[in-house]
Amino acid sequence: MSFRLLLSLVLLLVGLWSPAAFALTPEQAGKIAAGDSDERISALNERVAAGDAALVPFVQAMLDDAVKTAGGKAFIVKDGQAVEAATGAAATLPADAEDVVNNNRMRRELEGAIAALGLFAPDLALRTKAIADIKESADEAKLPLIERALAAETDAGLKARLALLRATVLIGAEDPAKRIAAAQALARSTDPNTRSLLLEQSNKEADPKVKAAIGAALDQVQGSLLWGERLGVLFTGISLGSILLLVALGLAITYGLMGVINMAHGELMMIGAYATYVVQNLFRTHLPAAFDAYILLAVPVAFATSALVGAVLERTVIRWLYGRPLETLLATWGISLVLMQAVRSLFGAQNVAVENPGFLSGGVQVLPNLVLPYNRIAIIVFVALVLAGMALLISKTRLGLFVRGVTQNRRMASCVGVDTARVDTMAFALGAGIAGLAGCALSQVGNVGPDLGQSYIVDSFMVVVLGGVGQLTGTVIAALGLGVLSKLLEGWAGAVLAKIMVLVVIVVFIQKRPQGLFAMKGRSAEA
């Protein structure tokens, strides 16, 4: 709640707390506070419909369990002092006063009453909040209040929202003419909940004229929501594609350039995710005030940790297996099992929670039915930065030149003085470090567990093979293409069938074009 909104609410409550603002009669307050739930709710709705502002402190006191009853009267007791609920005058609490008990139903009605009375607040933000709060509990009992608020509202936006709220209530009215008018009003809505409401009403509507009006309104609402749904699918596809790209970028080096079938790539990514988890916990324990900044340190730590593990693997295992792809496959698969068990021993078999920083929580609402989460937007930007950095590293730096030279002709590179063993270690560590960055990014959108890497290893190999082994541009296009295609097919055929269909498409494509989207040129392709 913003400070301005909070201040307005406090001023409203303070203003209404003054004795002059009390307009309840003792009988009315007594009926609301004691008796059968139906009778109490009826008495409450009667005062809400009258727009009695004096209800606000009384109802709030009931929600705070600060109301007692005795002799048909209600008393508000705060800090040991009692006042009459109807007049606000100081009173002596009778000895036989009993606490007011509010069940869940009564509490919902009391909360709805406060929200409804906020429709007449002088502050725009308070009225906006009141409309949002009353939306879930609006019924015909509150219709007079809504109509009064609609007549008194001066803001055009809120007036339109109140008109839709009124139509939402009238869509279930007994008079067919009112239901038709409500359907016509709801046709202008762009709220996804309106579509559900119209569908529900259409299913139980018996009058053909009303049913036709609801059907026309439903078509119009669906047309308004269509673009939001299309853009939502496109965004989720790009989001998935960016994650696949980040996972596949490291593999594009170790497999695409170095020819190592690294089945432990997913586990290197998992190590990056757990490194993020450790950094998060260190901030939470030692620097709680700067917790949101943990992600800034987690990124380099995840990269360094995975790169270090990758360098050790290359020095101890991988370097003895260059040129023997099947052996590297078996060796790295065994390493992946060892890494998973090591993580289980250190952190347990259960998933661990990585919390988003405050600035990555929530999202931006582009359309009424389209919200873009900040964490996924951040991942897309992060992937673009990593991609640009990697492209510059490979094409513009001395290390990139050595990597390209060694992968294209190792003997010639060695003959001209390049330390090929050192370049191999650095290149493998770079690919592992990028996998660690992928793990850091994934920790912001999903659970972190020992099996994290297994969920992405197959997809990352598909991206590299489909894009063309050793081709950075092909990797980018393949990752984004697979992400968008998967989300499009999921909406049509479901997640499992979409996965199978994507796999079939890739198999057919590789049969027609074994070199992938972009064929490698030069000595390596001829070998």
Side-chain angles (χ1 to χ4, degrees):
M1 183 181 293
S2 68
F3 177 76
R4 185 182 175 190
L5 182 59
L6 180 62
L7 181 61
S8 301
L9 180 59
V10 170
L11 290 175
L12 177 64
L13 290 173
V14 170
L16 292 172
W17 181 256
S18 62
F22 280 77
L24 281 172
T25 65
E27 292 74 19
Q28 290 167 343
K31 287 181 179 177
I32 294 172
D36 179 72
S37 292
D38 290 336
E39 294 174 353
R40 292 176 64 193
I41 292 172
S42 176
L44 176 67
N45 287 336
E46 182 181 340
R47 300 315 304 159
V48 170
D52 190 348
L55 271 179
V56 174
F58 176 47
V59 172
Q60 186 61 53
M62 291 186 67
L63 285 170
D64 295 340
D65 296 327
V67 176
K68 295 179 181 294
T69 61
K73 292 184 178 180
F75 300 88
I76 300 176
V77 182
K78 286 187 177 179
D79 301 327
Q81 301 296 319
V83 297
E84 286 193 19
T87 63
T92 301
L93 188 67
D96 59 344
E98 297 179 351
D99 291 333
V100 172
V101 178
N102 299 309
N103 56 27
N104 290 337
R105 181 186 171 205
M106 194 65 205
R107 283 191 169 275
R108 285 195 298 271
E109 293 293 333
L110 293 171
E111 290 168 354
I114 287 185
L117 292 170
L119 295 175
F120 301 96
D123 188 275
L124 182 68
L126 206 57
R127 296 204 303 278
T128 304
K129 182 178 183 302
I131 293 175
D133 290 343
I134 199 176
K135 193 173 180 181
E136 299 297 327
S137 61
D139 52 27
E140 287 198 62
K142 296 185 178 65
L143 192 57
L145 185 74
I146 295 171
E147 290 179 337
R148 285 184 54 213
L150 179 61
E153 183 59 60
T154 55
D155 182 80
L158 292 188
K159 203 174 186 67
R161 293 180 63 180
L162 282 168
L164 287 176
L165 185 60
R166 177 177 178 273
T168 302
V169 175
L170 287 177
I171 196 67
E174 293 184 4
D175 187 352
K178 289 184 178 178
R179 296 205 298 276
I180 291 176
Q184 292 170 345
L186 289 174
R188 296 189 291 273
S189 173
T190 55
D191 187 344
N193 293 327
T194 303
R195 178 171 54 187
S196 304
L197 175 66
L198 289 172
L199 275 173
E200 182 183 350
Q201 290 295 325
S202 178
N203 290 334
K204 62 185 182 184
E205 181 60 58
D207 190 315
K209 289 184 180 179
V210 179
K211 196 176 184 69
I214 293 176
L218 188 57
D219 292 341
Q220 193 167 336
V221 171
Q222 285 179 330
S224 301
L225 297 175
L226 194 57
W227 272 109
E229 293 173 354
R230 287 171 177 169
L231 292 175
V233 172
L234 181 62
F235 176 77
T236 52
I238 292 175
S239 174
L240 175 62
S242 65
I243 291 174
L244 291 178
L245 174 59
L246 195 56
V247 177
L249 274 178
L251 200 61
I253 295 177
T254 56
Y255 176 58
L257 292 180
M258 303 179 68
V260 177
I261 303 176
N262 183 16
M263 296 300 290
H265 185 75
E267 279 59 48
L268 293 170
M269 186 176 66
M270 172 196 67
I271 289 172
Y274 272 98
T276 305
Y277 169 71
V278 171
V279 173
Q280 171 206 248
N281 286 350
L282 289 176
F283 267 73
R284 181 172 287 155
T285 305
H286 301 290
L287 294 170
F291 178 77
D292 284 348
Y294 87 85
I295 193 67
L296 301 178
L297 182 62
V299 171
V301 169
F303 178 87
T305 307
S306 296
L308 179 62
V309 174
V312 171
L313 289 180
E314 199 279 337
R315 283 283 181 177
T316 55
V317 179
I318 305 297
R319 69 164 36 195
W320 313 107
L321 300 174
Y322 285 127
R324 296 154 64 184
L326 291 180
E327 282 85 345
T328 59
L329 186 151
L330 290 174
T332 54
W333 179 63
I335 290 169
S336 72
L337 297 179
V338 171
L339 291 177
M340 280 194 291
Q341 188 55 46
V343 167
R344 286 194 183 97
S345 301
L346 284 174
F347 297 96
Q350 302 298 320
N351 290 344
V352 296
V354 176
E355 186 178 340
N356 286 337
F359 59 86
L360 291 183
S361 301
V364 53
Q365 184 152 15
V366 181
L367 294 171
N369 60 333
L370 177 60
V371 177
L372 306 184
Y374 289 135
N375 56 353
R376 291 193 175 270
I377 294 174
I379 288 177
I380 293 174
V381 174
F382 180 65
V383 172
L385 293 175
V386 173
L387 178 63
M390 182 176 165
L392 288 175
L393 184 70
I394 297 296
S395 62
K396 301 294 182 183
T397 66
R398 188 178 179 85
L399 173 62
L401 178 64
F402 285 171
V403 169
R404 284 182 286 134
V406 170
T407 54
Q408 288 182 16
N409 194 320
R410 178 179 295 273
R411 287 185 178 180
M412 183 60 72
S414 180
C415 287
V416 298
V418 175
D419 186 347
T420 57
R422 184 166 173 268
V423 169
D424 286 338
T425 302
M426 295 182 70
F428 197 88
L430 176 62
I434 294 175
L437 293 180
C440 179
L442 281 172
S443 69
Q444 301 300 306
V445 295
N447 294 324
V448 173
D451 299 327
L452 175 67
Q454 300 297 308
S455 304
Y456 290 93
I457 187 66
V458 175
D459 288 341
S460 57
F461 270 106
M462 284 198 301
V463 168
V464 174
V465 172
L466 180 62
V469 176
Q471 297 298 312
L472 199 58
T473 306
T475 303
V476 175
I477 295 175
L480 295 179
L482 283 180
V484 174
L485 180 63
S486 296
K487 289 301 175 185
L488 286 174
L489 292 176
E490 279 183 17
W492 177 60
V496 177
L497 276 179
K499 196 82 174 176
I500 295 172
M501 293 166 75
V502 168
L503 187 59
V504 170
V505 169
I506 292 175
V507 169
V508 172
F509 182 82
I510 295 298
Q511 289 295 315
K512 296 292 184 184
R513 194 178 171 84
Q515 67 274 33
L517 289 171
F518 293 87
M520 178 175 282
K521 298 177 182 178
R523 194 182 299 272
S524 296
E526 296 164 3

